[in-house]
Amino acid sequence: EVQLVESGGGLVQAGGSLRLSCAASGFTFDDYAIGWFRQAPGKEREGVSCISSTDGSTYYADSVKGRFDIYSDNAKNTVYLQMNSLKPEDTAVYYCAAAKEFIVASLKSEDFASWGQGTQVTVAS
């Protein structure tokens, strides 16, 4: 059974940092791109970052570029999202997801097949 479990969310002041973790199980971790998405109340789900299944290339939404960093620890089957210089507009539920087969990298929700339950990030101004 494919399982993705996020952790690391919480409440932080603007300018602060958080590190989210996505622990994966039930599939060959290295074979699939892993993405982070977020959804704020009343807004559509947004692709935040992705790490490629082939060469570890990383991709970011313009809104987080230069502030967020995605990386993986394959030995632990875990992908991390280091979030720095957090802003109130980063407040959302953050989800990690495993891409569909043959998707090398994407920030589109429809390209992802398996999702975690989400973790809340709240940035206070």
Side-chain angles (χ1 to χ4, degrees):
E1 178 189 2
V2 174
Q3 195 168 18
L4 298 162
V5 179
E6 303 96 335
S7 61
L11 173 65
V12 65
Q13 293 293 316
S17 298
L18 282 174
R19 188 181 75 163
L20 305 183
S21 300
C22 172
S25 61
F27 64 103
T28 305
F29 181 74
D30 297 359
D31 289 347
Y32 295 88
I34 302 294
W36 283 98
F37 294 78
R38 66 186 181 187
Q39 189 165 21
K43 294 189 176 181
E44 291 188 357
R45 189 169 294 186
E46 172 191 18
V48 174
S49 183
C50 178
I51 186 162
S52 168
S53 61
T54 54
D55 60 0
S57 296
T58 56
Y59 303 84
Y60 300 91
D62 288 343
S63 57
V64 306
K65 206 170 289 184
R67 299 188 297 122
F68 290 12
D69 181 30
I70 187 172
Y71 60 98
S72 65
D73 183 337
N74 290 346
K76 296 182 178 180
N77 281 7
T78 300
V79 172
Y80 301 94
L81 185 68
Q82 177 67 44
M83 307 187 295
N84 300 320
S85 302
L86 282 161
K87 305 175 181 180
E89 51 263 45
D90 293 319
T91 295
V93 177
Y94 283 70
Y95 301 88
C96 69
K100 296 175 181 176
E101 194 174 13
F102 305 124
I103 298 295
V104 173
S106 175
L107 292 178
K108 299 178 181 179
S109 297
E110 59 265 33
D111 290 335
F112 289 78
S114 301
W115 295 80
Q117 82 289 348
T119 185
Q120 176 71 47
V121 171
T122 303
V123 184
S125 57

